[in-house]
Amino acid sequence: MDIEDLQTFVVVADAGGVSAAARRLGVSKSIVSRRLARVEAELGVQLLARTTRGAALTEAGITFRDHAARASAEIDTARETILPTGDLRGRLRVAMPLSFGPTHFAPVLAEMAHQHPQLQIHTSYSDRFVDLVAEGFDCAIRVGYLQDSNLIAKRIGPIYGKLVASSDYIKAHGSPQTPDELVTHQALMQGTEAWQFMDGSRIVTVQPQGRFKADNATALAAAAAAGVGIAWLPDCITYEYVASGALVPVMTRYPPPSAGAYVVRPPGRHPARKVRVLIEMLIEYFARNPDVWGVDR
């Protein structure tokens, strides 16, 4: 049985259909269908029942999927073991935040592709939290404060931020001096998050309120510059705004604690070597470019 056919079946099973699997694999639906048909012909059983909404595993498919996934993982590990040192191949699927990915992380992926010409790199840029397992990603880069989950996280560097507002907003509404005063101001937020600030060595948590929300940090920076409210944003997003005077730091006596950038991956015994290499390159990139992430530190 061809290992590529076997791995394709696992992707079809996890994606819930041929079309979704084709998108994940970056190949046509006809190629996926042919590979799936060869696996079923080799086994002499139907693994998936096709429906108008996609495909559902048969009883045989449910049983075979776990065995196929383990076999595919073992083959991937074996391939990595015998490859020349530093040589990577296969496919790496990465989810990245839209706010930072194209400007801050994409150059690292481009360098990785340059160094490993046999490696396929597929990247999805979105500020939503993707389900790595359900959507078939090898890893994701996440910025800020991590939520509790069963994912395995590796910190690749610090992220510094501050509260900012426009001069027009401050003239109209004043500037908060303490965290308690923030509740009387319009906060620009991604959702219902809490904001944290340092009062000496003590962390103070505030539940801000506001009518303007966006799942993209760049959009929040633009809203702050337009005078809509106060935003907590990373320095790498606000640097040019602050340098030009479009945004002004506020409540500087109570700085937010540093956040972090992380590579997260599904739980497992060992990360794939391609993920380890990406982590190493990102850590090195952070070390080489500290001004990008914390320009005033």
Side-chain angles (χ1 to χ4, degrees):
M1 187 178 297
D2 185 271
I3 184 62
E4 193 169 44
D5 294 348
L6 192 65
Q7 291 173 329
T8 298
F9 160 68
V10 175
V11 175
V12 172
D14 293 346
V18 171
S19 297
R23 288 192 295 270
R24 289 189 186 183
L25 293 169
V27 300
S28 67
K29 292 190 292 184
S30 61
I31 290 177
V32 173
S33 296
R34 285 198 296 271
R35 291 175 182 174
L36 181 60
R38 286 197 293 264
V39 174
E40 291 182 325
E42 180 73 22
L43 294 172
V45 296
Q46 184 178 1
L47 299 174
L48 287 100
R50 283 69 169 178
T51 68
T52 55
R53 295 184 177 181
L57 290 173
T58 63
E59 185 176 350
I62 293 173
T63 301
F64 186 65
R65 185 266 168 209
D66 291 340
H67 292 286
R70 285 196 296 270
S72 297
E74 288 294 334
I75 290 296
D76 285 341
T77 300
R79 282 175 169 170
E80 287 188 350
T81 301
I82 64 174
L83 281 175
T85 301
D87 192 16
L88 296 175
R89 66 180 64 189
R91 185 181 68 256
L92 175 65
R93 294 193 76 227
V94 187
M96 288 196 179
L98 181 60
S99 298
F100 305 89
T103 53
H104 293 78
F105 297 121
V108 178
L109 286 178
E111 178 61 24
M112 189 176 186
H114 179 71
Q115 293 182 13
H116 303 281
Q118 298 186 75
L119 179 67
Q120 300 177 44
I121 300 178
H122 297 182
T123 312
S124 174
Y125 294 95
S126 173
D127 283 326
R128 71 181 180 87
F129 272 30
V130 301
D131 186 326
L132 299 186
V133 177
E135 299 182 47
F137 285 96
D138 295 295
C139 63
I141 295 177
R142 291 183 178 163
V143 174
Y145 305 105
L146 286 185
Q147 300 176 353
D148 291 336
S149 73
N150 66 340
L151 299 176
I152 297 174
K154 174 65 177 179
R155 192 171 187 267
I156 56 176
I159 297 289
Y160 297 102
K162 59 171 65 73
L163 282 185
V164 291
S166 70
S167 297
D168 288 343
Y169 178 89
I170 293 173
K171 289 177 184 177
H173 304 282
S175 178
Q177 300 301 309
T178 66
D180 290 341
E181 294 180 17
L182 275 176
V183 296
T184 64
H185 287 267
Q186 283 291 322
L188 309 178
M189 302 179 292
Q190 293 197 15
T192 58
E193 68 268 22
W195 288 354
Q196 293 184 331
F197 304 95
M198 299 300 300
D199 182 4
S201 60
R202 185 171 64 96
I203 293 179
V204 179
T205 301
V206 175
Q207 295 288 341
Q209 302 295 321
R211 61 185 178 86
F212 189 96
K213 298 182 179 182
D215 64 355
N216 180 273
T218 305
L220 294 176
V228 179
I230 297 176
W232 180 101
L233 291 167
D235 291 344
C236 54
I237 294 292
T238 62
Y239 172 66
E240 292 184 358
Y241 287 95
V242 173
S244 68
L247 290 175
V248 178
V250 298
M251 212 177 75
T252 55
R253 289 179 53 203
Y254 299 88
S258 65
Y262 302 85
V263 173
V264 298
R265 63 178 177 86
R269 289 181 299 173
H270 302 289
R273 187 152 67 94
K274 56 192 174 184
V275 175
R276 296 200 304 270
V277 169
L278 175 61
I279 291 172
E280 291 167 1
M281 293 183 68
L282 286 167
I283 291 174
E284 181 183 353
Y285 179 70
F286 263 81
R288 288 200 319 266
N289 300 277
D291 57 317
V292 174
W293 306 100
V295 295
D296 62 350
R297 298 303 194 273

